[in-house]
Short mmCIF file of all heavy atoms in Angstrom, two decimals:
data_model
loop_
_atom_site.label_atom_id
_atom_site.label_comp_id
_atom_site.label_asym_id
_atom_site.label_seq_id
_atom_site.Cartn_x
_atom_site.Cartn_y
_atom_site.Cartn_z
N MET M 153 5.26 9.60 -7.65
CA MET M 153 4.95 10.20 -6.38
C MET M 153 4.93 9.11 -5.27
O MET M 153 4.27 8.15 -5.39
CB MET M 153 3.61 10.96 -6.40
CG MET M 153 3.23 11.60 -5.17
SD MET M 153 1.75 12.65 -5.42
CE MET M 153 2.23 14.03 -4.45
N LYS M 154 5.63 9.37 -4.21
CA LYS M 154 5.67 8.43 -3.06
C LYS M 154 4.26 8.25 -2.43
O LYS M 154 3.46 9.21 -2.32
CB LYS M 154 6.63 8.88 -2.05
CG LYS M 154 8.04 8.74 -2.42
CD LYS M 154 8.99 9.09 -1.31
CE LYS M 154 10.39 8.93 -1.75
NZ LYS M 154 11.40 9.20 -0.65
N ASN M 155 4.00 7.07 -2.06
CA ASN M 155 2.71 6.81 -1.30
C ASN M 155 2.98 6.72 0.23
O ASN M 155 3.11 5.71 0.83
CB ASN M 155 2.05 5.49 -1.82
CG ASN M 155 0.63 5.41 -1.32
OD1 ASN M 155 0.27 5.88 -0.30
ND2 ASN M 155 -0.19 4.82 -2.10
N LEU M 156 3.04 7.96 0.81
CA LEU M 156 3.33 8.11 2.17
C LEU M 156 2.03 7.68 3.07
O LEU M 156 2.18 7.25 4.19
CB LEU M 156 3.75 9.49 2.55
CG LEU M 156 5.10 9.94 1.92
CD1 LEU M 156 5.39 11.40 2.24
CD2 LEU M 156 6.17 8.96 2.23
N LYS M 157 0.88 7.80 2.47
CA LYS M 157 -0.33 7.44 3.14
C LYS M 157 -0.42 5.90 3.39
O LYS M 157 -0.82 5.49 4.48
CB LYS M 157 -1.59 7.91 2.38
CG LYS M 157 -1.73 9.45 2.29
CD LYS M 157 -3.03 9.88 1.71
CE LYS M 157 -2.83 10.08 0.21
NZ LYS M 157 -4.02 10.60 -0.42
N MET M 158 0.02 5.20 2.36
CA MET M 158 0.02 3.73 2.55
C MET M 158 1.06 3.33 3.61
O MET M 158 0.84 2.47 4.48
CB MET M 158 0.42 3.08 1.23
CG MET M 158 0.46 1.62 1.21
SD MET M 158 0.62 0.95 -0.42
CE MET M 158 1.79 -0.37 -0.17
N LYS M 159 2.30 3.95 3.55
CA LYS M 159 3.39 3.67 4.53
C LYS M 159 2.90 4.00 5.97
O LYS M 159 3.13 3.27 6.89
CB LYS M 159 4.61 4.41 4.15
CG LYS M 159 5.79 4.12 4.95
CD LYS M 159 7.03 4.79 4.43
CE LYS M 159 8.24 4.32 5.23
NZ LYS M 159 9.48 4.92 4.69
N SER M 160 2.23 5.15 6.12
CA SER M 160 1.74 5.62 7.38
C SER M 160 0.70 4.66 7.91
O SER M 160 0.73 4.24 9.09
CB SER M 160 1.20 7.07 7.27
OG SER M 160 0.54 7.44 8.47
N ALA M 161 -0.26 4.25 7.03
CA ALA M 161 -1.33 3.32 7.48
C ALA M 161 -0.74 2.05 7.94
O ALA M 161 -1.16 1.40 8.99
CB ALA M 161 -2.37 3.18 6.44
N ARG M 162 0.23 1.56 7.29
CA ARG M 162 0.92 0.32 7.55
C ARG M 162 1.65 0.45 8.94
O ARG M 162 1.63 -0.41 9.78
CB ARG M 162 1.88 -0.06 6.43
CG ARG M 162 2.57 -1.34 6.61
CD ARG M 162 3.43 -1.74 5.37
NE ARG M 162 4.41 -0.74 5.05
CZ ARG M 162 5.55 -0.46 5.67
NH1 ARG M 162 5.89 -1.16 6.75
NH2 ARG M 162 6.43 0.44 5.24
N ALA M 163 2.32 1.53 9.13
CA ALA M 163 3.11 1.78 10.34
C ALA M 163 2.12 1.88 11.55
O ALA M 163 2.46 1.41 12.65
CB ALA M 163 3.91 3.10 10.20
N ILE M 164 0.97 2.53 11.43
CA ILE M 164 0.02 2.64 12.47
C ILE M 164 -0.43 1.22 13.00
O ILE M 164 -0.66 1.06 14.16
CB ILE M 164 -1.19 3.46 12.07
CG1 ILE M 164 -0.79 4.94 11.96
CG2 ILE M 164 -2.41 3.31 13.01
CD1 ILE M 164 -1.85 5.89 11.29
N LEU M 165 -0.52 0.31 11.98
CA LEU M 165 -0.90 -1.08 12.40
C LEU M 165 0.27 -1.87 12.83
O LEU M 165 0.11 -3.09 13.09
CB LEU M 165 -1.58 -1.71 11.12
CG LEU M 165 -2.95 -1.11 10.72
CD1 LEU M 165 -3.41 -1.79 9.49
CD2 LEU M 165 -4.02 -1.23 11.84
N ASP M 166 1.49 -1.23 12.86
CA ASP M 166 2.74 -1.90 13.29
C ASP M 166 2.91 -3.16 12.33
O ASP M 166 3.20 -4.25 12.72
CB ASP M 166 2.71 -2.40 14.63
CG ASP M 166 4.11 -2.73 15.16
OD1 ASP M 166 5.13 -2.14 14.63
OD2 ASP M 166 4.24 -3.58 16.11
N MET M 167 2.68 -2.90 10.96
CA MET M 167 2.76 -3.97 9.99
C MET M 167 4.02 -3.71 9.14
O MET M 167 4.16 -2.59 8.67
CB MET M 167 1.43 -4.01 9.13
CG MET M 167 1.44 -5.06 8.09
SD MET M 167 -0.06 -4.88 7.10
CE MET M 167 -1.37 -5.71 8.19
N SER M 168 4.84 -4.74 8.95
CA SER M 168 5.99 -4.62 8.07
C SER M 168 5.56 -4.70 6.60
O SER M 168 4.47 -5.17 6.27
CB SER M 168 7.05 -5.67 8.37
OG SER M 168 6.51 -6.96 7.96
N GLN M 169 6.45 -4.28 5.73
CA GLN M 169 6.23 -4.46 4.25
C GLN M 169 6.01 -5.94 4.01
O GLN M 169 5.11 -6.28 3.17
CB GLN M 169 7.40 -3.95 3.47
CG GLN M 169 7.48 -2.48 3.35
CD GLN M 169 8.61 -1.96 2.48
OE1 GLN M 169 9.48 -2.65 2.11
NE2 GLN M 169 8.48 -0.69 2.15
N LEU M 172 2.42 -7.03 5.01
CA LEU M 172 1.47 -6.53 4.14
C LEU M 172 1.49 -7.33 2.76
O LEU M 172 0.49 -7.71 2.26
CB LEU M 172 1.62 -5.08 3.85
CG LEU M 172 0.62 -4.37 2.88
CD1 LEU M 172 -0.80 -4.67 3.29
CD2 LEU M 172 0.86 -2.90 2.74
N ARG M 180 7.59 -8.48 -0.93
CA ARG M 180 7.89 -7.27 -0.20
C ARG M 180 8.44 -6.17 -1.04
O ARG M 180 8.15 -5.03 -0.88
CB ARG M 180 8.95 -7.63 0.91
CG ARG M 180 9.28 -6.37 1.81
CD ARG M 180 10.60 -6.49 2.41
NE ARG M 180 11.71 -6.63 1.51
CZ ARG M 180 12.26 -5.71 0.76
NH1 ARG M 180 11.77 -4.42 0.75
NH2 ARG M 180 13.25 -5.92 -0.06
N THR M 182 7.45 -5.42 -4.08
CA THR M 182 6.30 -4.82 -4.73
C THR M 182 5.76 -3.72 -3.76
O THR M 182 5.54 -2.59 -4.21
CB THR M 182 5.22 -5.82 -5.12
OG1 THR M 182 5.81 -6.75 -6.02
CG2 THR M 182 4.04 -5.19 -5.75
N ILE M 183 5.61 -4.11 -2.52
CA ILE M 183 5.09 -3.12 -1.52
C ILE M 183 6.03 -1.91 -1.42
O ILE M 183 5.64 -0.78 -1.48
CB ILE M 183 4.86 -3.72 -0.17
CG1 ILE M 183 3.80 -4.87 -0.24
CG2 ILE M 183 4.44 -2.71 0.91
CD1 ILE M 183 2.45 -4.44 -0.70
N GLY M 184 7.41 -2.22 -1.42
CA GLY M 184 8.37 -1.13 -1.32
C GLY M 184 8.30 -0.21 -2.55
O GLY M 184 8.45 1.05 -2.47
N MET M 185 8.17 -0.85 -3.77
CA MET M 185 8.06 -0.03 -4.96
C MET M 185 6.78 0.88 -4.98
O MET M 185 6.82 1.97 -5.44
CB MET M 185 8.16 -0.94 -6.16
CG MET M 185 9.61 -1.45 -6.38
SD MET M 185 9.78 -2.74 -7.68
CE MET M 185 8.97 -1.98 -9.06
N ILE M 186 5.67 0.32 -4.52
CA ILE M 186 4.42 1.14 -4.45
C ILE M 186 4.66 2.31 -3.54
O ILE M 186 4.24 3.38 -3.94
CB ILE M 186 3.24 0.30 -4.01
CG1 ILE M 186 2.93 -0.83 -5.08
CG2 ILE M 186 2.04 1.14 -3.78
CD1 ILE M 186 1.97 -1.86 -4.55
N GLU M 187 5.21 2.05 -2.36
CA GLU M 187 5.49 3.18 -1.35
C GLU M 187 6.44 4.14 -1.92
O GLU M 187 6.31 5.37 -1.63
CB GLU M 187 5.97 2.53 -0.08
CG GLU M 187 4.78 1.83 0.72
CD GLU M 187 5.25 1.31 2.03
OE1 GLU M 187 6.46 1.38 2.38
OE2 GLU M 187 4.40 0.75 2.76
N ALA M 188 7.41 3.70 -2.71
CA ALA M 188 8.37 4.61 -3.32
C ALA M 188 7.90 5.31 -4.58
O ALA M 188 8.62 6.17 -5.07
CB ALA M 188 9.68 3.84 -3.59
N GLY M 189 6.73 4.96 -4.93
CA GLY M 189 6.15 5.58 -6.19
C GLY M 189 6.78 5.13 -7.45
O GLY M 189 6.65 5.75 -8.54
N ILE M 201 -4.93 -4.16 -0.82
CA ILE M 201 -4.09 -3.37 0.16
C ILE M 201 -5.03 -2.59 1.06
O ILE M 201 -4.78 -2.59 2.36
CB ILE M 201 -3.11 -2.44 -0.59
CG1 ILE M 201 -1.96 -3.25 -1.30
CG2 ILE M 201 -2.55 -1.39 0.40
CD1 ILE M 201 -1.17 -2.50 -2.22
N CYS M 202 -6.00 -1.96 0.53
CA CYS M 202 -6.94 -1.14 1.42
C CYS M 202 -7.67 -2.04 2.36
O CYS M 202 -7.80 -1.65 3.54
CB CYS M 202 -7.94 -0.37 0.52
SG CYS M 202 -7.10 0.96 -0.37
N LEU M 205 -5.35 -2.96 5.17
CA LEU M 205 -5.01 -1.75 6.04
C LEU M 205 -6.24 -1.19 6.77
O LEU M 205 -6.07 -0.24 7.58
CB LEU M 205 -4.30 -0.71 5.25
CG LEU M 205 -2.91 -1.11 4.65
CD1 LEU M 205 -2.37 0.05 3.81
CD2 LEU M 205 -1.93 -1.50 5.84
N LYS M 207 -8.53 0.63 5.26
CA LYS M 207 -8.76 1.98 4.75
C LYS M 207 -9.50 1.89 3.43
O LYS M 207 -9.72 0.81 2.80
CB LYS M 207 -7.37 2.59 4.45
CG LYS M 207 -6.58 2.74 5.67
CD LYS M 207 -7.05 3.93 6.51
CE LYS M 207 -6.05 4.18 7.70
NZ LYS M 207 -6.56 5.24 8.57
N GLU M 211 -8.58 7.05 0.74
CA GLU M 211 -7.65 7.33 1.94
C GLU M 211 -6.17 6.95 1.61
O GLU M 211 -5.28 7.62 2.08
CB GLU M 211 -8.11 6.53 3.18
CG GLU M 211 -9.42 7.13 3.85
CD GLU M 211 -9.87 6.24 4.97
OE1 GLU M 211 -9.86 5.05 4.85
OE2 GLU M 211 -10.21 6.88 6.05
N ILE M 212 -6.06 5.91 0.82
CA ILE M 212 -4.65 5.49 0.52
C ILE M 212 -4.23 5.90 -0.88
O ILE M 212 -3.00 6.33 -0.97
CB ILE M 212 -4.60 3.96 0.59
CG1 ILE M 212 -5.00 3.38 1.93
CG2 ILE M 212 -3.23 3.39 0.15
CD1 ILE M 212 -4.12 3.83 3.11
N PHE M 213 -4.96 5.96 -1.84
CA PHE M 213 -4.46 6.14 -3.18
C PHE M 213 -4.92 7.46 -3.85
O PHE M 213 -4.42 7.78 -5.01
CB PHE M 213 -4.87 4.99 -4.09
CG PHE M 213 -4.13 3.73 -3.69
CD1 PHE M 213 -4.79 2.67 -2.98
CD2 PHE M 213 -2.81 3.51 -3.97
CE1 PHE M 213 -4.15 1.52 -2.58
CE2 PHE M 213 -2.15 2.30 -3.63
CZ PHE M 213 -2.80 1.32 -2.92
#
Side-chain angles (χ1 to χ4, degrees):
M153 178 171 223
K154 290 186 178 182
N155 193 329
L156 299 177
K157 293 186 270 186
M158 182 173 136
K159 186 173 185 175
S160 174
R162 185 175 55 74
I164 288 169
L165 295 175
D166 198 28
M167 183 182 279
S168 68
Q169 286 183 345
L172 178 56
R180 183 206 54 79
T182 300
I183 298 299
M185 288 173 50
I186 294 168
E187 289 181 357
I201 289 169
C202 289
L205 296 175
K207 299 286 184 179
E211 289 173 316
I212 300 295
F213 293 102

